Amino acid sequence: MKYLPVIGLEVHVELKTKSKMFCGCSTQYFGKAPNSQTCAVCLGMPGGLPVPNKKAIEWCILIGIALNGKIALHSKFDRKNYFYPDLAKGYQISQYDMPFAKNGYLILQNGKKIRIRRVHMEEDTGKLMHEKINGESVSLIDFNRSGVPLVEIVTEPDFENAEEVKEYLQALQQIVRYLEVSDANMERGEMRLEPNISLTVKKGVLPPYKVEVKNINSFKFVEKAINFEIKRQEILLSDGITPPQETRGWNETKNETILQRVKEEANDYRYFPEPDIPPIQLTNEIIEKLTKFIPELPNIKAKRFKSSYDLSSYDIEILTRDKNTADFFDKAVLDGKSFSVTPKQIANYIINKKPDIEKSVPSEIIKTILSSSKSNTIDEQKLTSVIEKVLQENKNAINDYKNGKTNVIMYLLGQVLRLYDEKIDPKLVKENLEKYLNNN
Ligand code: ADP
Ligand code: MG
Ligand code: ZN
């Protein structure tokens, strides 16, 4: 391909605070009757006054810190004016030129740095539902989601392909889950993705246009939408046409992006400072205090697991995927130490047996591992006699083995296991068989 993809991402994450961003309504709208979680403020009634949610601001800042951003000591909220059928005020309270965090980054496995331009706080909109009632097409509005705290994380256009985007998104999802500020469940719309895509002829040169694909709700669809756009734009460019700057949507059934609207500019939104909320002043002490709430993040945890526990990258990837599993594993390793149960044994147990870690405690796992390995501390005498018997009956196999057909060991192993007639660890048996064959 003579064009290089240039991709930047905007990601919205819903925070799981108890109450909404600017009022006391519950954020738990899922499955609730439409418009049952609303008040004068989140319905945009005249005179409703917003009161910012402190916890939400702190959590937004936590995300900023976790993404290596610079936290602003001075910031404010702004009104983003627009005709929103799903936001009754006619504007969204967001942050324009003073986001809570700026200039962060996230590093991909291959060492590539994805620059994060900004992390800012805003409010979610309501939900429109297009339905048919008595044969008539109607649009219904549910304001339960209106005013739920939303954090937007915007990258620089640093991605070159859909794989990098996917890795970044998975890492980002993992981080907000580790911080316990969002469940980032995509089916529920708690994490929504917007890739901006363009094609350049020269690395480092930004094309004079970009196409934004709005509100995608799965990693798979982002990948598909990006690859679809790359092809679509490539065809246009090859015909000498610069793709128009526009906003598109992802059509799941047709597997293609479709035009939604021609892109508006920032000044179309007539941003201005929110007059009902005073500017937010932070101090270095507050930021330091918040920093203490950041747990060991996945990449650092993975490094520690590697250096202290001698585990494979595969094991580490699974064990650090969510924080609860990683914490459980850490505790189990501590508990196991005095019983000489190794981290590898525990990792195997967690990965293969998949115990419900919500319902069990680490020390139980250690007990289980110990008792199962006890049944594996074999009756040496019995095993030796069984091995001898099997080998006696399979002299040809011994010759084959000695002539390099080491595969016959699997056949012999089967015979021993059958004759032994009790539960026993095949790996141990195989080791014993090998020892026997090599020494006799
Ligand atoms: P807007 O104001 O239209 O939202 P921004 O410049 O703020 O545009 O960028 C929005 C997103 O688009 C960012 O993630 C940014 O990295 C990305 N972006 C900017 N220029 C390009 C481009 N030429 N190609 C792809 N993505 C781009
Ligand atoms: Mg945008
Ligand atoms: Zn409300």
Side-chain angles (χ1 to χ4, degrees):
M1 187 166 69
K2 51 182 207 248
Y3 302 105
L4 284 171
V6 177
I7 307 163
L9 276 184
E10 295 163 273
V11 176
H12 285 95
V13 173
E14 254 182 21
L15 298 184
K16 57 174 179 181
T17 48
K18 284 205 181 73
S19 56
K20 291 189 182 179
M21 190 59 221
F22 300 113
C23 62
C25 292
S26 167
T27 54
Q28 303 301 303
Y29 60 79
F30 200 80
K32 295 279 164 64
N35 298 308
S36 60
Q37 319 292 308
T38 54
C39 71
V41 172
C42 57
L43 284 175
M45 300 287 186
L49 278 177
V51 178
N53 182 330
K54 183 171 176 223
K55 181 120 276 164
I57 293 175
E58 288 174 351
W59 286 2
C60 177
I61 292 168
L62 282 187
I63 295 176
I65 299 172
L67 295 173
N68 309 295
K70 301 256 173 320
I71 305 304
L73 290 178
H74 180 82
S75 53
K76 65 176 168 69
F77 286 100
D78 299 280
R79 287 190 182 178
K80 184 180 183 184
N81 298 280
Y82 196 66
F83 176 74
Y84 298 95
D86 48 8
L87 200 55
K89 297 196 292 292
Y91 57 84
Q92 179 191 35
I93 304 180
S94 180
Q95 294 191 288
Y96 183 48
D97 53 345
M98 294 183 179
F100 284 127
K102 268 196 214 173
N103 301 330
Y105 61 86
L106 193 148
I107 294 177
L108 302 181
Q109 294 292 335
N110 65 7
K112 179 169 173 175
K113 193 181 213 173
I114 302 299
R115 292 168 300 158
I116 291 167
R117 183 183 291 177
R118 55 188 283 142
V119 176
H120 76 248
M121 182 88 247
E122 55 187 39
E123 57 179 331
D124 211 343
T125 60
K127 261 187 190 165
L128 285 175
M129 285 162 289
H130 308 287
E131 289 180 18
K132 272 219 156 64
I133 294 182
N134 300 331
E136 241 184 290
S137 298
V138 295
S139 293
L140 302 170
I141 312 180
D142 175 6
F143 284 108
N144 283 351
R145 196 182 67 180
S146 170
V148 168
L150 207 57
V151 170
E152 180 169 347
I153 301 132
V154 184
T155 75
E156 294 295 337
D158 287 348
F159 301 94
E160 286 169 86
N161 55 56
E163 288 72 50
E164 287 179 357
V165 168
K166 199 169 157 205
E167 187 190 331
Y168 166 88
L169 289 172
Q170 276 167 343
L172 181 61
Q173 183 186 47
Q174 208 182 12
I175 288 171
V176 298
R177 286 179 174 170
Y178 263 62
L179 294 173
E180 297 177 69
V181 299
S182 173
D183 291 332
N185 179 332
M186 309 242 263
E187 285 102 70
R188 290 192 172 194
E190 292 162 356
M191 181 170 173
R192 308 196 289 270
L193 323 167
E194 289 161 18
N196 294 263
I197 305 130
S198 66
L199 295 181
T200 185
V201 278
K202 198 165 167 241
K203 200 175 161 132
V205 176
L206 273 193
Y209 76 95
K210 66 180 159 64
V211 173
E212 177 171 3
V213 187
K214 275 278 181 203
N215 272 332
I216 302 182
N217 64 356
S218 93
F219 293 150
K220 230 224 163 72
F221 293 157
V222 169
E223 202 176 346
K224 285 186 177 176
I226 289 173
N227 290 328
F228 178 87
E229 270 306 307
I230 291 173
K231 284 214 193 84
R232 189 186 68 85
Q233 295 176 21
E234 196 184 353
I235 293 168
L236 289 174
L237 286 164
S238 306
D239 285 347
I241 304 166
T242 303
Q245 170 127 336
E246 60 197 18
T247 301
R248 301 177 72 89
W250 176 246
N251 185 315
E252 292 178 29
T253 33
K254 291 193 177 154
N255 264 314
E256 59 186 34
T257 64
I258 42 166
L259 177 65
Q260 285 184 338
R261 57 184 143 108
V262 176
K263 180 76 186 151
E264 54 290 311
E265 300 290 326
N267 52 16
D268 292 336
Y269 289 119
R270 211 168 40 88
Y271 277 101
F272 63 83
E274 166 60 60
D276 289 335
I277 304 173
I280 315 279
Q281 303 285 2
L282 293 175
T283 61
N284 287 318
E285 290 73 59
I286 294 178
I287 297 171
E288 257 165 52
K289 250 193 215 153
L290 285 173
T291 305
K292 297 215 175 82
F293 283 101
I294 308 249
E296 184 179 47
L297 292 172
N299 58 338
I300 297 170
K301 204 180 277 294
K303 270 190 204 134
R304 175 168 62 80
F305 279 16
K306 186 146 200 80
S307 60
S308 7
Y309 298 146
D310 189 31
L311 297 171
S312 70
S313 318
Y314 172 80
D315 289 353
I316 292 173
E317 205 270 307
I318 296 182
L319 292 171
T320 56
R321 210 173 273 170
D322 72 87
K323 184 167 168 290
N324 287 348
T325 307
D327 289 348
F328 188 92
F329 174 73
D330 263 330
K331 286 202 201 89
V333 168
L334 268 185
D335 288 349
K337 232 179 204 160
S338 37
F339 299 100
S340 310
V341 175
T342 65
K344 180 67 190 163
Q345 278 175 295
I346 299 166
N348 286 347
Y349 186 85
I350 293 177
I351 292 168
N352 301 326
K353 297 278 182 338
K354 302 185 180 62
D356 183 349
I357 58 163
E358 304 293 327
K359 288 192 188 127
S360 47
V361 288
S363 57
E364 263 171 49
I365 303 272
I366 299 302
K367 262 190 226 146
T368 316
I369 293 174
L370 277 172
S371 66
S372 73
S373 66
K374 235 184 236 129
S375 71
N376 281 339
T377 46
I378 4 159
D379 182 342
E380 291 270 349
Q381 249 181 340
K382 178 174 165 191
L383 181 60
T384 309
S385 75
V386 172
I387 288 178
E388 278 175 349
K389 184 142 187 269
V390 168
L391 291 183
Q392 209 127 58
E393 289 166 1
N394 293 283
K395 292 247 164 66
N396 288 339
I398 303 179
N399 285 333
D400 284 350
Y401 184 84
K402 300 219 156 141
N403 290 328
K405 285 193 192 161
T406 46
N407 274 343
V408 296
I409 196 145
M410 295 319 285
Y411 166 74
L412 294 172
L413 175 64
Q415 300 300 307
V416 176
L417 290 177
R418 193 174 51 82
L419 260 185
Y420 194 84
D421 200 32
E422 251 181 277
K423 233 183 126 201
I424 181 168
D425 183 359
K427 238 168 68 195
L428 279 177
V429 178
K430 186 161 170 258
E431 279 165 20
N432 275 279
L433 249 175
E434 268 162 351
K435 235 188 276 162
Y436 213 91
L437 282 165
N438 293 333
N439 296 335
N440 290 288

